[in-house]
Structures are given as C-alpha cells and as structure tokens.
Amino acid sequence: QVQLVESGGGSVQAGGSLRLSCVASGFTFSSYWMYWVRQAPGKEREGVAKISSGGGVTFYTDSVKGRFTISRDNAKNTLYLQMNSLEPEDTAMYYCAASTKGLSLSRRLNEYDFNYWGQGTQVTVSS
C-alpha cells in the first residue's frame, strides 16, 4: 500500500522556522521526483519546490527562494522541507507528492498530476 505521510506542520510567528517531513512507503521512493505543493484557503494549489530522484536537482517557486530548502534521504525514504523566515503568506496546507516526471512548478498542479499524494500538514504563520 502506497503512503506519503507528512508531519512537522504547526503554528509559528512570522520570521520563525519549521521543518516538514514526508515519509514514503509502498513504492520505490528513489525513482521519483518529489514535490511540496501547498494550498492556502481560497487559493489554487501552488507548487513550492521539487527535487530530482537522486537529490541533485532542485527548483523553487520564486516566493520561497532563499527561504525554503527541499532535500531528501533516499536511504530513509524521507522528503524534507526546511522553511525559514516564514511569512503569513506561507500559511497553507502543505502536501508532498511523487511523480515519475519533472513537472513545472509554474503551472497549477493538482493531485491527478502526480502518481502519489499525501494527506497534508497545516502550516500557520501569524504576524
């Protein structure tokens, strides 16, 4: 059974940090591009970051560049998102997702674009 289980969300003040984790099981994690996608209330889903199967290539949406870092540990089947200098605009549900393809972050991404999709973890940033 395929699972992507996110954790690490919570409530922080602006300027704070959080580290999200996503543990994968039931598929060959090291063969997939991995993504963090977020959805704020009333807004479309937004691709935040992606990382290649081996971890050597990363991309970020412009609004998080220099503040967020995506990484993975293929030995532990785990994806991470280190979020620093958090802003109220970062408030959203954060999902991890897996795809055999390198999907563009600049277009709207939905669950059906991916092979696998997690249940999400909530991040709330107060001003």
Side-chain angles (χ1 to χ4, degrees):
Q1 180 182 359
V2 171
Q3 282 191 308
L4 289 172
V5 180
E6 300 96 331
S7 62
S11 297
V12 295
Q13 291 191 327
S17 298
L18 284 173
R19 189 193 196 201
L20 306 184
S21 298
C22 172
V23 178
S25 60
F27 67 101
T28 306
F29 178 76
S30 60
S31 296
Y32 286 75
W33 281 83
M34 294 300 297
Y35 298 76
W36 287 101
V37 179
R38 68 186 179 186
Q39 186 168 23
K43 295 188 177 180
E44 295 180 349
R45 286 174 177 166
E46 174 188 32
V48 175
K50 67 180 183 183
I51 186 168
S52 59
S53 58
V57 178
T58 58
F59 291 95
Y60 300 88
T61 194
D62 286 346
S63 63
V64 308
K65 284 180 181 177
R67 300 188 298 121
F68 290 10
T69 303
I70 189 171
S71 61
R72 66 191 296 163
D73 185 337
N74 285 345
K76 295 182 178 180
N77 287 354
T78 303
L79 175 73
Y80 303 100
L81 185 68
Q82 178 66 45
M83 305 187 294
N84 298 328
S85 302
L86 282 161
E87 303 169 352
E89 293 74 23
D90 296 317
T91 295
M93 183 71 79
Y94 283 72
Y95 301 90
C96 73
S99 175
T100 55
K101 303 175 183 178
L103 303 171
S104 172
L105 297 179
S106 62
R107 68 174 183 88
R108 185 172 65 182
L109 296 172
N110 289 297
E111 186 173 348
Y112 54 76
D113 290 313
F114 298 94
N115 297 96
Y116 308 117
W117 183 268
Q119 86 290 348
T121 186
Q122 178 67 39
V123 171
T124 303
V125 185
S126 58
S127 57

